[in-house]
Amino acid sequence: TYGCMVYQEQIMEISKKLGGFTPGEADTLRKAMGKKKLDVMEKFGKKFIEGAKAHNISEKTATHIYEQMKAFAGYGFNKSHSYAYALVSYQTAYLKANYPIEFMCAALTNEIGHNAIGSDDKENKIATYLEESKKMGFGILPPDVNKSQPEFAVEEKDGKQHIRYALEAVKNAGTEGCISIAKEAAKKPFESLEDLCARIDLSQANKKTIESLTKAGALDSLMPGVEPKIARATLLSQIDEAVDTAHLIAKEKESCAVSLFGDDFSATMSLKKKADTKPVAPLTQNELLGYEKEVMGLYFSGHPIARYQGYLDRLNCVPIKDILDGKASGRLNVIGIVTRLKKRQNKRKEEWAQFVIEDCTGSIAVNAFSRAWANVGHKVAPNAILFFSGEVKVDDESARVEINLQDVGSVPELIGNIAKKLTIRLTPDYSQENLQRLKMLLDAAKGVTKVYLEVPSKADPSKLHVIRTDKSILIHRALLEHLENTLGNDAWRFE
């Protein structure tokens, strides 16, 4: 190994031949170095130097060698392990190089059941591997009860290979329930929620399974042409009735009472549907993305930070990717959403925290040391979207890039402090109730930001009339959330 201490066996040989250790003592030293037991290493260090003197090695040289041995303990392991890891490394490298999309599907599938869905302080490796797959040029298709397999799978679309999201990777889906769904979908695509409930094994895929799959968007294809916000809200409102009815028909079947309907249970289900299904309020964008995060551990169809990406320059903020690429450094500002929050204590028993913030371009670790944490810690919580100010630090050894936090603030407040003009785009179907709520929110906080409305022309909806209102407001969170929830993320812009 060219004079480098790589293997634990080498440490043992050096300690025996230079230090005069017995095989048992050499093995004890190996274990101590592997587990970084400083007291044992200190004790054996003296013995090593004395033994080296007996071999005509100076104390200075012996001390230097022993220090190298201690430094080795940070990365070395035994030779047999190195062979095993080298073999697996070669095999996986070969597969990734020659069968890249199949390899990524296997890596993703391997994380099912082990990834950190719902955890605030752990990395979700499925999200990490999906990002890697995108960098490799592979599209990611959403979970779909009519197309997904229980595991991640390769799917051809538009002449290109994509990765189809696994049903089993959705929280609460369950292995047997997903197998039942995929098996039935292979026979004939599901046409509706009622059809799905009638054909699958509800002892394996229960209400919770169907609810989680709906939140993940896996049932969107059962309402083709309907916007996901509406489709998912509608399906969630119908699950209880659809499952209960399917159970009822299953009991009728067991008691041989189904002859009235024949064997077409999906047709039976359609008879059971209410003719006067009540309209359901669509999910807000925040609710839709929140449900995806809840059951998939990631934002699939969008990102909560997307609404602010176009304003970063005006807000004097930088995208996280620029920091990671070395294009931005020193004291800077970032807008991000908080993930993987860990609270800690220093030697003085003062609380501090480490967490990760992410935007549409990447994620970065943040250190909130005790003084900063005492000032702003009450504002920081998992899934909070905030404005962060801090100093970029790069570790010289690991090249790890982090931010040392200095301040935290509200994004709407940041916008409110600099906005001179707020333009709101209304839609033709904007209800009177929403309009009244909007007026109330505009009147809630007086300020210097002028409000303009863009209203579609009745004669030609593609043309917009711009109306200057008499309102001067201070932009606040409730106002922006109302606009995004009722009109979408592109409903407002500021200058």
Side-chain angles (χ1 to χ4, degrees):
T1 57
Y2 300 98
C4 296
M5 300 177 200
V6 176
Y7 305 120
Q8 289 179 339
E9 288 87 346
Q10 291 173 316
I11 297 297
M12 295 171 69
E13 286 301 306
I14 291 169
S15 61
K16 285 190 293 182
K17 291 182 178 178
L18 298 188
F21 283 29
T22 66
E25 289 173 332
D27 192 48
T28 302
L29 177 61
R30 173 192 67 79
K31 291 177 182 176
M33 286 188 166
K35 295 181 180 179
K36 297 180 175 60
K37 293 184 177 179
L38 299 179
D39 55 336
V40 179
M41 285 195 282
E42 189 67 30
K43 172 188 168 184
F44 275 108
K46 295 175 183 176
K47 179 178 176 60
F48 180 84
I49 292 168
E50 289 302 315
K53 285 180 182 178
H55 290 87
N56 298 318
I57 297 171
S58 69
E59 182 174 340
K60 181 179 179 182
T61 302
T63 302
H64 178 68
I65 292 171
Y66 195 74
E67 289 300 317
Q68 282 189 315
M69 291 164 65
K70 287 200 301 185
F72 148 87
Y75 59 83
F77 47 93
N78 68 61
K79 197 171 185 179
S80 60
H81 282 186
S82 75
Y83 280 126
Y85 280 114
L87 178 61
V88 174
S89 297
Y90 180 85
Q91 290 170 333
T92 52
Y94 175 86
L95 290 170
K96 187 174 182 181
N98 293 280
Y99 304 93
I101 193 166
E102 291 84 358
F103 175 84
M104 293 310 298
C105 284
L108 285 159
T109 296
N110 195 51
E111 289 301 319
I112 293 176
H114 305 294
N115 61 314
I117 295 179
S119 174
D120 294 331
D121 61 354
K122 293 181 181 178
E123 177 186 11
N124 182 347
K125 287 192 175 181
I126 285 183
T128 302
Y129 293 166
L130 287 174
E131 282 304 311
E132 174 71 9
S133 300
K134 290 176 184 176
K135 290 177 184 175
M136 294 166 67
F138 303 126
I140 312 298
L141 301 174
D144 186 333
V145 289
N146 279 324
K147 295 180 179 179
S148 288
Q149 297 301 312
E151 300 179 342
F152 287 89
V154 181
E155 185 175 316
E156 292 278 345
K157 184 179 179 182
D158 301 327
K160 295 182 179 179
Q161 288 186 317
H162 295 69
I163 295 175
R164 174 65 73 174
Y165 204 92
L167 294 178
E168 237 187 294
V170 176
K171 188 177 181 180
N172 301 319
T175 302
E176 296 303 321
C178 293
I179 290 173
S180 173
I181 291 170
K183 186 177 178 181
E184 282 299 319
K187 296 176 184 176
K188 179 186 175 184
F190 300 111
E191 297 179 0
S192 64
L193 174 62
E194 294 75 23
D195 183 34
L196 173 78
C197 294
R199 290 165 53 193
I200 63 174
D201 184 352
L202 288 173
S203 66
Q204 301 293 344
N206 54 26
K207 286 182 183 178
K208 193 68 177 175
T209 300
I210 299 170
E211 180 183 296
S212 291
L213 290 171
T214 302
K215 289 179 176 180
L219 274 68
D220 288 0
S221 62
L222 303 185
M223 296 185 70
V226 179
E227 191 179 1
K229 292 180 184 180
I230 299 172
R232 295 180 200 181
T234 303
L235 291 164
L236 286 169
S237 72
Q238 296 174 351
I239 290 173
D240 283 350
E241 183 183 355
V243 172
D244 290 345
T245 305
H247 277 305
L248 176 63
I249 291 177
K251 288 180 181 178
E252 290 175 351
K253 181 179 179 182
E254 289 177 6
S255 63
C256 301
V258 295
S259 57
L260 174 64
F261 301 108
D263 294 327
D264 190 352
F265 298 112
S266 59
T268 305
M269 292 301 295
S270 66
L271 292 174
K272 292 278 185 180
K273 287 180 68 177
K274 284 187 176 180
D276 58 341
T277 302
K278 294 180 180 179
V280 179
L283 299 177
T284 66
Q285 182 69 5
N286 287 342
E287 286 173 333
L288 184 139
L289 293 176
Y291 281 150
E292 290 180 354
K293 180 79 169 180
E294 173 192 334
V295 298
M296 301 169 78
L298 52 94
Y299 301 108
F300 192 90
S301 59
H303 199 286
I305 305 296
R307 71 192 80 167
Y308 302 123
Q309 285 299 114
Y311 300 115
L312 294 184
D313 285 344
R314 274 177 268 181
L315 295 171
N316 194 29
C317 294
V318 299
I320 290 174
K321 188 175 187 301
D322 282 5
I323 303 173
L324 300 176
D325 291 345
K327 297 177 181 177
S329 60
R331 175 74 184 262
L332 46 71
N333 306 319
V334 179
I335 293 175
I337 186 167
V338 178
T339 66
R340 292 159 56 191
L341 172 64
K342 287 184 181 180
K343 295 179 182 178
R344 304 183 183 278
Q345 279 192 338
N346 61 22
K347 292 179 180 179
R348 296 187 297 274
K349 303 298 182 183
E350 296 169 330
E351 189 174 83
W352 65 288
Q354 288 179 313
F355 53 92
V356 172
I357 58 173
E358 66 173 61
D359 64 11
C360 302
T361 68
S363 60
I364 191 168
V366 177
N367 299 311
F369 295 119
S370 55
R371 184 178 296 178
W373 187 248
N375 293 329
V376 303
H378 63 284
K379 300 179 183 179
V380 181
N383 301 316
I385 298 173
L386 296 164
F387 161 80
F388 300 90
S389 180
E391 188 84 17
V392 175
K393 295 295 181 184
V394 182
D395 186 277
D396 292 334
E397 291 186 7
S398 66
R400 178 180 170 86
V401 183
E402 297 179 331
I403 294 175
N404 289 346
L405 188 68
Q406 293 170 333
D407 199 9
V408 171
S410 160
V411 180
E413 286 178 13
L414 177 65
I415 294 172
N417 289 336
I418 66 171
K420 302 299 182 190
K421 176 181 176 182
L422 176 70
T423 302
I424 301 170
R425 176 174 291 190
L426 301 179
T427 58
D429 58 351
Y430 200 59
S431 70
Q432 191 65 31
E433 181 184 351
N434 282 332
L435 203 58
Q436 289 298 323
R437 172 69 176 161
L438 174 59
K439 183 178 184 301
M440 185 184 76
L441 291 169
L442 290 173
D443 290 336
K446 301 295 182 182
V448 298
T449 305
K450 301 294 182 181
V451 179
Y452 291 75
L453 301 179
E454 287 184 345
V455 183
S457 167
K458 290 184 178 180
D460 184 359
S462 65
K463 293 182 178 179
L464 297 173
H465 296 298
V466 179
I467 302 170
R468 178 177 176 174
T469 72
D470 60 354
K471 303 198 179 293
S472 295
I473 68 162
L474 176 64
I475 295 174
H476 54 93
R477 183 183 300 277
L479 171 62
L480 297 186
E481 286 183 351
H482 171 75
L483 293 174
E484 289 158 5
N485 290 338
T486 58
L487 293 165
N489 283 349
D490 58 352
W492 60 271
R493 64 182 186 273
F494 76 89
E495 297 173 21

